[in-house]
Amino acid sequence: AQSVTQLGSHVSVSEGALVLLRCNYSSSVPPYLFWYVQYPNQGLQLLLKYTSAATLVKGINGFEAEFKKSETSFHLTKPSAHMSDAAEYFCAMYSGGGADGLTFGKGTHLIIQP
Amino acid sequence: EAGVTQFPSHSVIEKGQTVTLRCDPISGHDNLYWYRRVMGKEIKFLLHFVKESKQDESGMPNNRFLAERTGGTYSTLKVQPAELEDSGVYFCASKGIQGNTGELFFGEGSRLTVL
């Protein structure tokens, strides 16, 4: 079955520290993978996407993610956290065929400590 | 260019009442999706329209939910009668026909609270 797992419902980092949000997927076919962010009182905004081109994907606001097929992972990173990064982050997968929508992880709240 | 807009942003109703949520997709986007997030759970797919046709409604919870997209423009999602477990945030998303990488553009969501 297709699924997306995000490890940790809450992640807390200090301002200026490395951000690492984990995402693992399960898919019977090569997937497309996405990270979305939701700031308070806003909609879901696309951060970055992997669509079978380069495995290291750069997104907005200094975020990047690396697709690792051997580990079925697509972890999100940012070298230096900023207070404005505080939000909820969602990893999502599109496998095509079958159910026609995105499969989401449960989301991770990123908390930035001053 | 306007993004995906949803109305209302928040609705509070009592069990047994009816609520209708509306979504206006990005102009020209033939694909329109509804998703729902119940508190503490993942965002789940409800259904997918291509223009005015339902392409996939496998995620609709039960027959108390009715989605329409007359004319292939905006869409409505009606819950009748509402139950407590229907509370959550309902997201609408749209996508154009160019490519098929799955990228969706989301609205801000409609928060439904059933008391």
Side-chain angles (χ1 to χ4, degrees), chain B residues 23-76:
Chain B
C23 169
D24 286 78
I26 291 173
S27 178
H29 280 192
D30 288 338
N31 294 276
L32 187 149
Y33 301 78
W34 284 98
Y35 287 81
R36 177 174 75 170
R37 188 184 191 199
V38 173
M39 185 175 291
K41 306 275 187 168
E42 62 268 31
I43 300 169
K44 288 209 166 177
F45 168 81
L46 295 179
L47 87 160
H48 170 208
F49 283 99
V50 177
K51 296 185 180 178
E52 67 275 7
S53 300
K54 291 176 185 175
Q55 183 77 10
D56 180 354
E57 52 183 334
S58 61
M60 293 288 265
N62 50 61
N63 60 10
R64 294 185 294 102
F65 289 75
L66 175 64
E68 295 180 321
R69 193 183 182 194
T70 306
T73 54
Y74 71 92
S75 174
T76 58

Side-chain angles (χ1 to χ4, degrees), chain A residues 32 34 36 38 41-46 49 51 88 90 94 98-107 109, chain B residues 31 33 35 37 40-45 48 55-56 58 91 95 100-109:
Chain A
Y32 297 135
F34 306 83
Y36 282 87
Q38 186 179 23
N41 301 316
Q42 296 187 28
L44 293 166
Q45 179 182 359
L46 182 68
K49 62 182 179 182
T51 57
E88 190 166 17
F90 296 90
Y94 176 73
D100 203 18
L102 293 174
T103 300
F104 281 88
K106 288 188 176 182
H109 284 277
Chain B
N31 294 276
Y33 301 78
Y35 287 81
R37 188 184 191 199
K41 306 275 187 168
E42 62 268 31
I43 300 169
K44 288 209 166 177
F45 168 81
H48 170 208
Q55 183 77 10
D56 180 354
S58 61
F91 291 101
K95 180 177 77 170
N100 190 27
T101 60
E103 178 182 350
L104 303 181
F105 296 85
F106 283 83
E108 294 185 3

